[in-house]
Amino acid sequence: MPLADIRAAIDAELAATPEFYDFRVLRSTADGALWRVTLEPDYVYAEGQRPGQASAHTLLDERLEGASAWWGAPTKGSAGVRAVVVEDDQLVLQNASAPPPGEGHLLRLYPPRFLNAIADAWRDDPWARRAADCWPGLSISRPRADAPSLDGSPFRWLRPAQREALKLVGYHDAFLWGPPGTGKTTTLGVLLAEYLDRRPGARVLLLSTTNHAVDLATLAVDKALQKGRREHLRSAVQRLGSRFDAQAYAGRGHLIPASGLPSPQVLAQCRLATMTTTRAAFTLKTLRELSPMVKRRSTLSSSTKPAR
């Protein structure tokens, strides 16, 4: 696909995406330092639309986590959206400067502008060309000559199909497909645990579209390292982000960086970083600075400078 077409599509999506949404509040309830705000499920005003044209229920999902909230009545205030409880049409707000509005009042949300980060990336010509060159590989399986051979030997309980899936690391581009409950996440955990062990110098970035999926994959890798008697590698895995399920990591606190933030230091030190694709888009600059290709260019540049 030509770069011009990709950029035009992103720009068109940006133009069609509202910068803010106004929701009507049913009730607001204090929950310790947080606030739980329940919204009217059939009302939302999106920038450029008529009030009620869209359904609030269809807009409430994880994409609004991290959004900025603002209200002007009965008193002005602002807060951050910590979580979205979809089944209850509810927002969990943090760091509120004033009590959120009650029944009948409006709450405005400014979602994170994910597409802005994507647009900035695709406007970078060298990076964009390399990214576009990856497209053909998604439909053509190209074997890697230097790929490690993974047999899953510590995991005798693997089914034949799961063991066969470990061969996916032998290709430049590959995917694992299967119906729910067939062990895809478990297989991924074993594959990555084996890969980290067989390739001591390798570094892996694990992404998924939702925080829940990232949590499941991160825990699968840690469990595989534990069951495969590779305890020394468990501290090299880090779950980056701010909206993960803390209860799911009970007894596995080593997976969460002390700062809880995707800092360059954490990314530089870990061997397997896990995060959502949204987080990766906003962290792309740091990720690119850590890539081996960038480091090689920097080394070459510094080594060819004339002596003074």
Side-chain angles (χ1 to χ4, degrees):
M1 180 181 294
L3 286 180
D5 291 348
I6 295 174
R7 290 164 175 161
I10 295 173
D11 289 340
E13 189 68 19
L14 269 171
T17 303
E19 290 193 17
F20 64 83
Y21 300 96
D22 287 337
F23 295 88
R24 182 177 288 157
V25 176
L26 282 179
R27 59 183 173 275
S28 295
T29 307
D31 183 2
L34 306 175
W35 285 88
R36 293 186 177 272
V37 179
T38 304
L39 305 173
E40 189 176 307
D42 296 323
Y43 177 92
V44 64
Y45 167 75
E47 180 192 23
Q49 298 180 1
R50 299 190 311 274
Q53 182 176 342
S55 167
H57 184 77
T58 61
L59 290 173
L60 286 176
D61 58 30
E62 284 191 334
R63 290 173 299 177
L64 291 177
E65 292 183 353
S68 299
W70 178 88
W71 54 92
T75 58
K76 290 184 178 180
S78 62
V81 178
R82 179 172 180 174
V84 178
V85 186
V86 179
E87 59 272 20
D88 295 331
D89 300 316
Q90 194 174 86
L91 302 173
V92 179
L93 304 184
Q94 62 183 355
N95 303 322
S97 64
E103 183 178 1
H105 291 285
L106 297 180
L107 180 80
R108 175 168 292 185
L109 294 186
Y110 293 90
R113 295 292 282 174
F114 169 71
L115 284 173
N116 282 341
I118 297 295
D120 289 342
W122 283 99
R123 291 185 188 113
D124 183 328
D125 283 335
W127 181 91
R129 283 194 293 271
R130 295 204 334 262
D133 289 343
C134 294
W135 284 104
L138 299 178
S139 57
I140 302 174
S141 297
R142 296 178 298 146
R144 299 181 65 99
D146 60 343
S149 176
L150 309 184
D151 55 15
S153 53
F155 307 95
R156 299 178 180 178
W157 41 264
L158 285 175
R159 298 192 302 275
Q162 290 177 300
R163 203 173 295 278
E164 183 70 15
L166 300 182
K167 296 179 181 179
L168 291 175
V169 297
Y171 297 90
H172 285 275
D173 306 283
F175 68 93
L176 175 63
W177 180 90
T182 52
K184 297 185 296 298
T185 303
T186 300
T187 303
L188 176 65
V190 170
L191 185 152
L192 290 174
E194 289 273 273
Y195 187 81
L196 291 175
D197 181 62
R198 297 292 180 87
R199 283 293 177 85
R203 304 187 66 213
V204 179
L205 177 62
L206 174 60
L207 306 175
S208 190
T209 54
T210 68
N211 283 296
H212 180 63
V214 175
D215 288 339
L216 292 178
T218 306
L219 295 170
V221 175
D222 189 59
K223 291 174 183 177
L225 290 171
Q226 187 177 27
K227 293 177 181 177
R229 299 180 296 280
R230 290 159 176 150
E231 295 284 341
H232 65 288
L233 292 173
R234 295 177 67 192
S235 61
V237 179
Q238 297 283 268
R239 165 64 162 105
L240 303 177
S242 57
R243 287 178 290 280
F244 49 83
D245 182 0
Q247 292 183 345
Y249 291 88
R252 301 180 187 273
H254 58 278
L255 296 171
I256 310 299
S259 63
L261 298 173
S263 65
Q265 293 77 17
V266 174
L267 283 168
Q269 293 171 6
C270 67
R271 289 191 54 205
L272 191 156
T274 70
M275 64 180 78
T276 61
T277 51
T278 301
R279 173 69 65 175
F282 286 115
T283 317
L284 184 59
K285 182 177 183 293
T286 300
L287 293 171
R288 290 171 59 189
E289 289 172 350
L290 294 172
S291 90
M293 184 174 294
V294 172
K295 287 185 176 180
R296 284 198 299 271
R297 285 204 300 266
S298 298
T299 302
L300 179 61
S301 175
S302 60
S303 64
T304 56
K305 288 181 180 179
R308 291 173 180 253

